[in-house]
């Protein structure tokens, strides 16, 4: 699934091609894309609009259109935007004819992606506020924000990092990469990270995302650039998808476990598994007595 670096890569590639162009025809071939809105209503709202700017929030690509309208595109699992493809791709869901004779198509084999057209900046802001927490690389994304958001939570830190309403844009790849770089076990309860660990994790989330953006994203499944090319971050993973391979730091084998329902990669030497909290003193004494009684 495309995460912040993949969507940012698409934004950077798309913006110079489409900014300033008019949408002459919008053809929405799949009603699921705009649900709950009717595709013809959305197509009508897009036709004739000029794409003024392409921005991003979390994993949303935002087309700022003339008339203060906003098209919020989410690629979900397998969505891709292709600019001037040489042949009509299969799984085309939406087709845009742009001024200057250009064409942009949205393809999505699994059809989970969405395109929502909103009128006005307030509607855009409300839509995003409901769905997204702090955005990495902004001043709000601080260790203190993370610590406060996680206070009292016993769910694993990996689940917390994946929660878009806490941290915008991080998915399975970059969560594993950030936790490994921070030397934090993915199962550690989020509410029990120390201030030092939060500071480290804040930094490593941005480091992992930056490395992904520099490599123009990771193509481990359907992710493609707007010209159909692939990203290269999958060749630079430090931990993700490396089960059985030696940890780059200590050489012990990387393990695959399941956390929050997601395949998760961890070095349990570099990222020590959280200890169950010490129980009562009585249990401690019992354990000591057992040790004394041993050979
Ligand atoms: Zn290790």
């Amino acid at each position: 699934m495309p995460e912040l670096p993949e969507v940012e890569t698409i934004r950077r590639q798309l913006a110079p091609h489409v900014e300033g162009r008019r949408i002459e025809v919008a053809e929405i071939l799949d009603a699921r894309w705009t649900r709950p809105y009717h595709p013809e209503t959305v197509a009508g709202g897009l036709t004739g609009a000029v794409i003024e700017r392409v921005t991003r929030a979390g994993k949303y690509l935002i087309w700022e259109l003339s008339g203060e309208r906003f098209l919020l595109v989410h690629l979900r699992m397998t969505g891709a935007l292709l600019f001037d493809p040489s042949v009509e791709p299969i799984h085309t869901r939406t087709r845009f004819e742009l001024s200057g004779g250009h064409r942009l198509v949205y393809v999505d084999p699994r059809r989970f992606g969405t395109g929502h057209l909103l009128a006005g900046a307030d509607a855009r802001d409300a839509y995003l506020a409901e769905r997204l927490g702090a955005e990495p690389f902004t001043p709000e994304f601080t260790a203190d924000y993370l610590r406060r958001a996680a206070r009292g939570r016993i769910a694993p830190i990996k689940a917390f990092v994946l929660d878009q309403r806490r941290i915008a844009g991080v998915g399975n790849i970059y969560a594993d990469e950030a936790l490994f770089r921070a030397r934090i076990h993915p199962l550690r309860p989020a509410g029990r990270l120390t201030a030092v660990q939060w500071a480290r994790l804040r930094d490593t989330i941005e480091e992992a995302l930056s490395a992904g953006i520099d490599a123009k994203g990771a193509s481990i499944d359907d992710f493609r650039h707007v010209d159909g090319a692939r990203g290269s971050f999958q060749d630079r993973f430090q931990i993700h998808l490396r089960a059985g391979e030696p940890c780059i730091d200590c050489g012990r084998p990387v393990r695959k476990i399941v956390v929050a329902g997601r395949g998760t990669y961890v070095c349990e030497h570099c990222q020590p598994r959280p200890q169950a909290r010490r129980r009562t003193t009585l249990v401690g004494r019992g354990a000591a007595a057992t040790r004394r009684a041993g050979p």
Side-chain angles (χ1 to χ4, degrees), residues 180 247-252 267 269-270:
F180 174 69
C247 167
I248 57 163
D249 203 16
C250 72
R252 290 173 174 82
C267 171
H269 178 74
C270 296

Side-chain angles (χ1 to χ4, degrees), residues 107-177:
V107 298
D108 193 348
R110 295 189 61 184
R111 303 169 63 206
F112 289 117
T114 53
H116 288 157
L117 182 63
L118 303 173
D122 289 348
R124 173 201 59 191
D125 294 346
Y127 182 98
L128 294 173
E130 209 174 284
R131 292 164 174 83
L132 301 179
E135 177 83 34
F137 309 112
T138 66
E140 299 93 89
F141 189 67
T142 63
D144 198 47
Y145 162 82
L146 295 173
R147 194 173 52 79
R148 275 184 285 112
R151 187 168 288 159
R153 293 184 178 269
I154 54 166
I157 182 61
K158 168 116 183 220
F160 177 86
V161 173
L162 290 175
D163 184 348
Q164 299 302 298
R165 291 162 304 169
R166 306 292 170 198
I167 305 172
V170 179
N172 205 33
I173 296 172
Y174 297 92
D176 281 1
E177 291 292 309

